[in-house]
Amino acid sequence: MKFIQQAYKGENNWWAYLLTIFLLFFGWQLIGILPLVGVAFFYSEDVGEFSSAALDNFTTLGINSNLYLGLMIFTFFAGLVFLLLGIKTIHKRKIISVITTRKKIDWSRFFYAFTVWAIIGLATFFIDYFMSPNDYVFNFQPMQFFILLIISLLFLPLQTSMEEVLFRGYLMQGFGTWFKNSFVALLITSVIFGLLHGANPEVEKLGWIVMIYYIGTGFLLGIFTLMDEGIELSLGFHAANNIIAAVLVTSKWAAFQTEALFLDIAEPNIDFEFFLPFIVFYPFVIFVFSKKYGWTNWKEKLFGTVRKPIVLNEDEFIA
């Protein structure tokens, strides 16, 4: 429960959250998007083309997919900067308080989660590839791929970090202190996380049942956060997930349309494979992490009441 309680270390009134969310969207959707708007306007032949397609379809304007990916990542980076600025100046809290209860960020947790999920992602893809080779086309273009690899490894974690700091850190703590219950915070942040992915092309192609994946993944990452008292594991997991998605396989209907190694040409559908993460992989990862980090007191951490702690000083409080 200590992770959620860290919201009490600074300004925790509703207006502080409202101003910070406004600041986040200002940085993300106005400041951060300016380079993308500029490039889209440069590539568009007329204003009509620019207004209708420039910001959501790089192929229509002939923008290089790596450039488009980099510009999209920059919007999230700008959002992250403005979010942290709001936490620091409006809430008057230390940045680390929305990341972990530990005295410093435990990067070993980040890399452990990254490695575990990357191995699972790679293994499941290649198993599927060897079982259904006709569903994929090898798409290796050396120069474009290595540029994509550099962008993905160095900068994609900025995109996933913005989402994790916002949902599993900032909003998890905010909703937890407002509703005084950790599970309510977990549920609300997972649903909002899923709904914000509702505009992804996968949803249009496969239907709203895909929201099960986004909400379920948000729920998983929230469990990591509550049980581990920090977002390091969710940061690593999310980064691995998106890097694998960008670098390994792409399709004409996916959110990440990149110069990946493989092109998925199979007609998308909802089958047993879609539910496999929820049935097998997610429970397995929870089990591995729980054993690795000795998670205990599950009921209290996932369903417990959030109480305002007794603050002793800036860095010490009684839960």
Side-chain angles (χ1 to χ4, degrees):
M1 195 64 65
K2 291 180 180 179
F3 181 72
I4 290 181
Q5 287 176 315
Q6 292 201 125
Y8 289 113
K9 287 185 173 182
E11 178 58 64
N12 199 46
N13 287 312
W14 65 270
W15 58 265
Y17 288 90
L18 184 62
L19 286 177
T20 301
I21 293 298
F22 174 80
L23 196 61
L24 160 69
F25 275 92
F26 176 77
W28 181 17
Q29 295 297 319
L30 292 177
I31 300 300
I33 210 170
L34 287 178
L36 179 58
V37 170
V39 171
F41 187 81
F42 175 79
Y43 276 89
S44 63
E45 296 180 357
D46 54 54
V47 176
E49 181 186 3
F50 166 75
S51 61
S52 63
L55 299 184
D56 59 5
N57 192 341
F58 67 90
T59 57
T60 301
L61 301 175
I63 299 176
N64 178 276
S65 62
N66 285 331
L67 173 60
Y68 182 80
L69 179 62
L71 292 171
M72 285 301 297
I73 292 173
F74 180 78
T75 67
F76 286 90
F77 171 69
L80 177 62
V81 170
F82 277 79
L83 172 60
L84 298 180
L85 181 65
I87 293 168
K88 186 72 174 179
T89 61
I90 298 174
H91 289 274
K92 302 187 185 304
R93 292 169 54 187
K94 292 182 177 180
I95 301 302
I96 197 171
S97 68
V98 295
I99 299 174
T100 185
T101 57
R102 289 165 273 275
K103 293 184 178 181
K104 59 181 180 179
I105 299 173
D106 187 349
W107 289 106
S108 68
R109 278 173 153 83
F110 172 91
F111 288 110
Y112 183 76
F114 184 98
T115 302
V116 169
W117 192 241
I119 290 173
I120 292 175
L122 290 169
T124 53
F125 167 76
F126 283 110
I127 290 172
D128 187 61
Y129 176 76
F130 285 113
M131 291 180 64
S132 306
N134 293 331
D135 289 346
Y136 300 94
V137 172
F138 190 57
N139 187 50
F140 181 57
Q141 302 177 53
M143 181 60 68
Q144 292 297 319
F145 174 76
F146 286 118
I147 294 174
L148 169 65
L149 185 62
I150 292 171
I151 292 173
S152 298
L153 290 176
L154 294 182
F155 302 115
L156 254 182
L158 294 174
Q159 177 251 323
T160 55
S161 294
M162 192 278 262
E163 294 185 3
E164 290 310 306
V165 171
L166 174 61
F167 289 102
R168 258 60 67 178
Y170 183 69
L171 291 180
M172 180 80 78
Q173 292 176 342
F175 286 124
T177 56
W178 294 348
F179 293 100
K180 309 300 182 184
N181 184 275
S182 56
F183 184 76
V184 173
L186 171 60
L187 185 61
I188 293 176
T189 53
S190 301
V191 171
I192 297 176
F193 177 75
L195 291 177
L196 285 181
H197 289 80
N200 282 13
E202 292 91 340
V203 178
E204 180 181 354
K205 187 73 174 180
L206 297 172
W208 280 91
I209 192 172
V210 177
M211 297 304 295
I212 295 175
Y213 169 76
Y214 293 118
I215 294 174
T217 301
F219 204 81
L220 173 76
L221 297 172
I223 291 174
F224 293 166
T225 299
L226 292 176
M227 293 306 304
D228 202 53
E229 303 286 8
I231 68 172
E232 292 100 331
L233 293 177
S234 64
L235 284 169
F237 182 101
H238 201 162
N241 186 79
N242 285 25
I243 289 173
I244 293 296
V247 171
L248 189 59
V249 60
T250 188
S251 68
K252 297 297 184 181
W253 48 270
F256 275 157
Q257 296 184 34
T258 64
E259 302 295 339
L261 279 177
F262 294 91
L263 177 65
D264 184 354
I265 60 173
E267 185 65 25
N269 59 6
I270 300 296
D271 53 18
F272 174 75
E273 187 176 323
F274 173 79
F275 296 98
L276 204 58
F278 311 104
I279 299 172
V280 178
F281 301 134
Y282 287 4
F284 174 74
V285 171
I286 290 175
F287 174 78
V288 170
F289 290 172
S290 68
K291 293 301 181 182
K292 170 73 172 179
Y293 298 108
W295 292 349
T296 58
N297 201 16
W298 290 71
K299 183 178 179 180
E300 174 62 23
K301 288 185 176 181
L302 296 181
F303 300 96
T305 301
V306 178
R307 298 180 178 86
K308 186 174 182 178
I310 301 172
V311 179
L312 300 180
N313 54 56
E314 186 181 3
D315 298 310
E316 187 177 0
F317 61 99
I318 301 174

